[in-house]
Amino acid sequence: MQAVVMYGGGGGGGVKGSISTKSLAVGFRALKSQKQHYTSSLDFSNRNSQLSSSSSSSSSSSGLRLNSLSSSSSMATELTRSSLFHSRPVLKALASNGGDVEEVRPLKSEDDVTCALPVPQQQQGKASVLPFVGVACLGAILFGYHLGVVNGALEYLAKDLGIVENAVLQGWIVSTLLAGATVGSFTGGALADKFGRTRTFQLDAIPLAIGAVLCATAQSVQSMIIGRLLAGIGIGISSAIVPLYISEISPTEIRGVLGSVNQLFICIGILLALVAGLPLAGNPIWWRTMFSISAVPAVLLALGMAFSPESPRWLFQQGKFSEVEKSINTLYGKERVADVMTDLNVVSQGSAEQEAGWFDLFSSRYWKVVSVGVALFFFQQMAGINAVVYYSTAVFRSAGIESDVAASALVGASNVFGTTIASSLMDRQGRKSLLITSFLGMAASMLLLSLSFTWKALAPYSGTLAVLGTVCYVLSFSLGAGPVPALLLPEIFSSRIRAKAVALSLGMHWAANFVIGLYFLSFVNKFGISSVYLGFSGICLLGVLYIAANVVETKGRSLEEIERALDPAV
């Protein structure tokens, strides 16, 4: 006979696992030998039928004997243990013709379950999700790599293509990626709704791979621009569907950690692009290899998604219920199928509507929450992150750091370090508090940067303060403003609008990014770097006020719970 054991904290939650009754008895005997200073008694009482006198004999403290349960009739048995554990555990056993026994018991510590209880099934569920999150993050790596690869390669490809003296064409090669990403971010939402998340990843691999090959083999500016445009479309689609897919397959208890992994891998992609550029000094045509390398993750992404489960939420919306259960089983294990299906059913009963159209996003029902997503990406970009990165080389040179690679690596390493810290804090501190802390830190850092350029009393230390302000700014950004929006938006958008609303918000991200890249130097020339940085500081403070008033906390809540809380129609 098998025993199905439910155990968890005092809050009533439980984790289900299966062990044999023999193992259960051995486990309790082992517990007794470890805790001899405790005494315990197990009393059997039956609400529905009486146990025979031969099977109701007193149970000694040496262990739990379940072989006394009658195998010829169905019965419900409740066992109560008085003092073996610090809490008041309750073991409920249900036996039917040698059937399962189910135990529900709140426990106080890991020591209480060392011998008697199996490995938690939720932990197994978490582990089973990780490979699929890793496959999705190939899209995030490509996002960062394509953003960073042109920085080191531009000088060398300009020589090969004969545009060294043409700053306009060089600017087009850089900015075409952003224009393509803006288009891709809108396209990604529609594709994800129509074809599903995994199929969209596979479609996304096509422009990513072709764009990489065109850039690597370009013999003209036109070919290079077309390649950058295709790669931009690819990373735009990735920017929309990577956080969407991760949020929809992640268990609630670790969704924050896994969601922030997206930003971490973007940062890693940027660092990989910087590292890939190191051989350029000795090999001027190495830039072609740098672009061709990015085709490999694109192919791996397509292959990996062929073996990855589709989002259960998307399958449920499509009415593919048998596939929903298969997907849940693959992601979390069969013991969680019923719970997830229940959540999905509750939401669907409240709102059995079709997928929203683009114009629905601007309706009175949805615009309030959609505007939060648009505003978060607006503040993220207009707070000056790309301006700081663009200007970091000049700032570091003023401090005596002449190496562009060293300056870029320091900024990139700060970004990776801060994002790693944010990953560990996401499910403990919450999304909203990290956002507020992040924007406050960015505002203070921008103020320090501004003062380091203008305050005469700080003139002897201006270089050091400028570097300190830049690093602190990047660290602050990576703690919240960088990773949280892409995680938070799929959480606060209802399933009916999720893909399109994420795409619209990311459209704002790319549009603002493009504007900053286009006009930043013009503003610096007109108003001075100190005034521009002071303006960024003010935008960060406005962001704090907006977040405090409009952003909801989603930590520890399932997507269905959040949807029911934010959408009165559900």
Side-chain angles (χ1 to χ4, degrees):
M1 179 166 62
Q2 294 291 315
V4 180
V5 182
M6 295 286 293
Y7 52 96
V15 181
K16 184 179 288 187
S18 294
I19 56 175
S20 66
T21 53
K22 180 179 179 181
S23 299
L24 187 64
V26 171
F28 272 93
R29 284 196 293 273
L31 274 174
K32 176 182 177 294
S33 67
Q34 288 185 355
K35 303 180 181 286
Q36 292 182 357
H37 59 286
Y38 285 109
T39 61
S40 65
S41 63
L42 302 174
D43 297 325
F44 291 78
S45 64
N46 192 346
R47 295 178 181 175
N48 301 316
S49 60
Q50 297 295 325
L51 295 173
S52 63
S53 59
S54 62
S55 64
S56 61
S57 59
S58 174
S59 296
S60 70
S61 61
S62 63
L64 173 63
R65 296 177 298 180
L66 295 176
N67 61 345
S68 62
L69 294 175
S70 173
S71 61
S72 60
S73 62
S74 298
M75 61 191 68
T77 309
E78 181 170 282
L79 291 75
T80 356
R81 300 177 63 235
S82 60
S83 60
L84 184 57
F85 296 148
H86 295 295
S87 59
R88 292 177 296 176
V90 177
L91 178 68
K92 294 182 179 178
L94 178 63
S96 177
N97 296 325
D100 289 347
V101 176
E102 184 165 5
E103 180 183 16
V104 179
R105 181 173 68 239
L107 300 174
K108 286 289 185 180
S109 69
E110 291 182 2
D111 185 51
D112 292 336
V113 300
T114 301
C115 299
L117 302 176
V119 176
Q121 295 296 323
Q122 282 187 356
Q123 297 295 331
Q124 296 174 8
K126 294 176 186 178
S128 65
V129 169
L130 296 181
F132 310 120
V133 172
V135 172
C137 282
L138 288 171
I141 289 176
L142 286 168
F143 183 145
Y145 190 88
H146 279 291
L147 284 177
V149 70
V150 76
N151 290 341
L154 185 60
E155 177 185 349
Y156 299 91
L157 71 86
K159 291 179 181 178
D160 268 10
L161 300 179
I163 57 171
V164 174
E165 303 299 329
N166 196 328
V168 174
L169 287 180
Q170 291 184 41
W172 273 105
I173 289 175
V174 173
S175 60
T176 300
L177 183 84
L178 302 179
T182 304
V183 175
S185 65
F186 285 105
T187 307
L191 291 175
D193 279 343
K194 184 173 179 61
F195 298 109
R197 293 16 173 178
T198 55
R199 182 61 59 85
T200 301
F201 272 112
Q202 292 177 309
L203 294 173
D204 183 34
I206 296 173
L208 285 169
I210 294 176
V213 172
L214 282 177
C215 289
T217 59
Q219 299 299 323
S220 66
V221 175
Q222 290 81 0
S223 296
M224 175 60 69
I225 288 177
I226 293 173
R228 290 284 287 173
L229 181 65
L230 288 174
I233 291 173
I235 68 170
I237 294 173
S238 293
S239 70
I241 60 174
V242 172
L244 177 67
Y245 180 71
I246 292 177
S247 71
E248 290 189 341
I249 69 169
S250 298
T252 300
E253 59 272 18
I254 58 169
R255 193 175 62 243
V257 172
L258 295 183
S260 60
V261 164
N262 172 53
Q263 180 69 20
L264 176 62
F265 275 89
I266 292 173
C267 300
I268 290 173
I270 294 172
L271 271 181
L272 289 176
L274 295 173
V275 172
L278 292 178
L280 279 169
N283 185 4
I285 63 169
W286 178 257
W287 68 269
R288 295 186 182 276
T289 304
M290 292 171 64
F291 282 101
S292 64
I293 288 173
S294 60
V296 176
V299 174
L300 293 177
L301 177 64
L303 294 176
M305 279 297 159
F307 300 97
S308 299
E310 182 54 80
S311 161
R313 291 166 177 83
W314 182 83
L315 290 171
F316 194 90
Q317 291 167 3
Q318 306 303 310
K320 300 178 180 180
F321 302 116
S322 61
E323 295 181 42
V324 174
E325 295 187 4
K326 182 180 178 181
S327 176
I328 297 171
N329 185 29
T330 302
L331 291 168
Y332 317 123
K334 62 182 179 179
E335 54 284 326
R336 298 191 69 175
V337 171
D339 292 339
V340 177
M341 288 294 292
T342 298
D343 279 345
L344 294 172
N345 270 305
V346 168
V347 172
S348 69
Q349 290 170 4
S351 177
E353 301 169 280
Q354 296 181 345
E355 289 290 336
W358 283 104
F359 289 108
D360 291 328
L361 302 182
F362 302 95
S363 66
S364 58
R365 174 180 173 184
Y366 291 122
W367 176 243
K368 183 176 181 180
V369 68
V370 170
S371 65
V372 171
V374 173
L376 283 180
F377 274 114
F378 172 83
F379 282 116
Q380 180 198 67
Q381 293 302 306
M382 299 307 290
I385 179 58
N386 286 309
V388 168
V389 173
Y390 296 154
Y391 206 68
S392 62
T393 299
V395 169
F396 290 149
R397 280 178 181 170
S398 71
I401 302 175
E402 297 295 336
S403 172
D404 293 355
V405 174
S408 299
L410 182 57
V411 172
S414 300
N415 206 359
V416 171
F417 177 74
T419 305
T420 304
I421 299 299
S423 298
S424 65
L425 296 175
M426 201 69 70
D427 286 313
R428 288 188 290 170
Q429 299 298 320
R431 286 59 151 162
K432 186 173 182 176
S433 62
L434 282 179
L435 276 175
I436 292 175
T437 301
S438 176
F439 275 95
L440 284 173
M442 291 159 65
S445 300
M446 278 295 184
L447 182 60
L448 178 61
L449 281 167
S450 178
L451 293 176
S452 69
F453 286 108
T454 57
W455 202 356
K456 293 182 179 180
L458 298 177
Y461 316 102
S462 60
T464 302
L465 290 176
V467 173
L468 179 63
T470 300
V471 172
C472 288
Y473 178 90
V474 173
L475 280 173
S476 298
F477 176 85
S478 61
L479 281 174
V484 171
L487 165 65
L488 183 69
L489 302 197
E491 294 180 328
I492 64 174
F493 295 146
S494 68
S495 55
R496 182 172 181 253
I497 66 168
R498 186 170 293 139
K500 289 185 176 67
V502 168
L504 178 65
S505 301
L506 284 163
M508 170 56 72
H509 166 277
W510 290 113
N513 194 337
F514 183 80
V515 169
I516 289 291
L518 192 61
Y519 292 109
F520 171 68
L521 289 179
S522 298
F523 273 81
V524 170
N525 292 332
K526 185 173 182 178
F527 301 105
I529 186 64
S530 178
S531 297
V532 172
Y533 278 179
L534 190 61
F536 285 144
S537 180
I539 291 174
C540 290
L541 292 177
L542 289 176
V544 170
L545 297 176
Y546 180 87
I547 292 163
N550 296 280
V551 173
V552 297
E553 183 55 70
T554 59
K555 178 187 70 173
R557 305 168 74 183
S558 72
L559 297 184
E560 287 69 34
E561 290 173 336
I562 298 167
E563 181 171 348
R564 291 195 294 271
L566 293 177
D567 190 347
V570 174

